[in-house]
């Protein structure tokens, strides 16, 4: 049974700092891994999707990496801004079962 | 292109009542997924519908049920509501699994409060 864990649960950083969010998964037989952003009380915004054959994906100040052998993914945020404050969720997709398995998220606070 | 839409945005019910939540997928998407996000429990998978059929179900009791209509929109029904059913219910849609269906697009959610 796939389990996804995110560390830390919460993170507070000053504006401008580079930061790394961690995600680990127990079953390496994933189809892809996706990072989402969730603002309070809102739905999910997809940030980056990494296919199982890929090692990383980049979008603007965001870079996500995937190491299937170690069961880990990281989301790197460069030059953080107060607008980046949100909860970041990672989710593993196994394919045949259809559903995403989510971690519980990292709540990020970027202080001006 | 319109994204995934959900209605209502908020729903207040009392214990024992029934709740009906609705979801319209992105045009062209045939799969609809329902997830529950309860406080402290994270996002948990509820149901997956594709082409009108239930394809997979999460670890939830039978009072959680749903259906998918010919236009691919979907309903989630929760019977005999309990206090712990209070949560944000998120709907997602995708193309058919195996044909690009690995990317799910999420709606804004319905917040259900059970009193």
């Amino acid at each position: 049974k796939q389990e996804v864990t995110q560390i830390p649960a919460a993170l507070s950083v000053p504006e401008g700092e580079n930061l790394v969010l961690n995600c680990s998964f127990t079953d390496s037989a994933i189809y892809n891994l996706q990072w989402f952003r969730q603002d309070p009380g809102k739905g999910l915004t997809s940030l980056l999707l990494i296919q199982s054959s890929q090692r990383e994906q980049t979008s603007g100040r965001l870079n996500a990496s995937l190491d299937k052998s170690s069961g880990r993914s990281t989301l790197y945020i460069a030059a953080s801004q107060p607008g980046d404050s949100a909860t970041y969720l990672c989710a593993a997709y196994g394919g045949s079962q259809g559903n995403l398995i989510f971690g519980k998220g990292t709540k990020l606070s970027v202080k001006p | 292109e319109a994204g995934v839409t959900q209605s209502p945005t908020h729903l207040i019910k009392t214990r024992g009542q029934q709740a009906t939540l609705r979801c319209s997928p992105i045009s062209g998407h045939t799969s609809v997924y329902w997830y529950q996000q309860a406080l402290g429990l994270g996002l948990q998978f509820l149901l997956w519908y594709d082409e009108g059929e239930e394809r997979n179900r999460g670890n939830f009791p039978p009072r959680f049920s749903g259906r998918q209509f010919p236009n691919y929109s979907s309903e989630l029904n929760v019977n005999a509501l309990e206090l712990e059913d209070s949560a944000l219910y998120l709907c997602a849609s995708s193309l058919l699994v195996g044909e690009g269906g690995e990317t799910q697009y999420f709606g804004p959610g319905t917040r259900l409060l059970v009193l």
Side-chain angles (χ1 to χ4, degrees), chain A residues 44-60:
Chain A
L44 304 182
T45 300
S46 179
L47 297 173
L48 290 164
L49 183 150
I50 313 175
Q51 301 290 358
S52 62
S53 58
Q54 298 174 322
R55 294 300 299 266
E56 64 179 279
Q57 281 285 337
T58 298
S59 176

Side-chain angles (χ1 to χ4, degrees), chain A residues 4-5 16 22-23 34 36 38 40 51 63 69 83 85 90 104 110:
Chain A
V4 178
T5 304
N22 296 294
C23 172
Q34 200 163 355
F36 294 89
Q38 185 175 33
Q51 301 290 358
N63 175 276
S69 62
S85 297
C90 70
K104 290 192 174 183
V110 181

Side-chain angles (χ1 to χ4, degrees), chain A residues 1-19:
Chain A
K1 178 187 171 185
Q2 178 73 274
E3 292 183 3
V4 178
T5 304
Q6 292 186 247
I7 295 173
L11 182 63
S12 181
V13 300
E15 181 178 3
E17 195 163 292
N18 301 326
L19 58 101

Side-chain angles (χ1 to χ4, degrees), chain B residues 6-27:
Chain B
Q6 293 186 244
S7 63
T9 55
H10 292 81
L11 190 57
I12 300 175
K13 294 285 186 179
T14 57
R15 198 169 49 182
Q17 285 188 314
Q18 178 192 32
T20 298
L21 289 64
R22 297 178 176 84
C23 172
S24 291
I26 291 173
S27 177

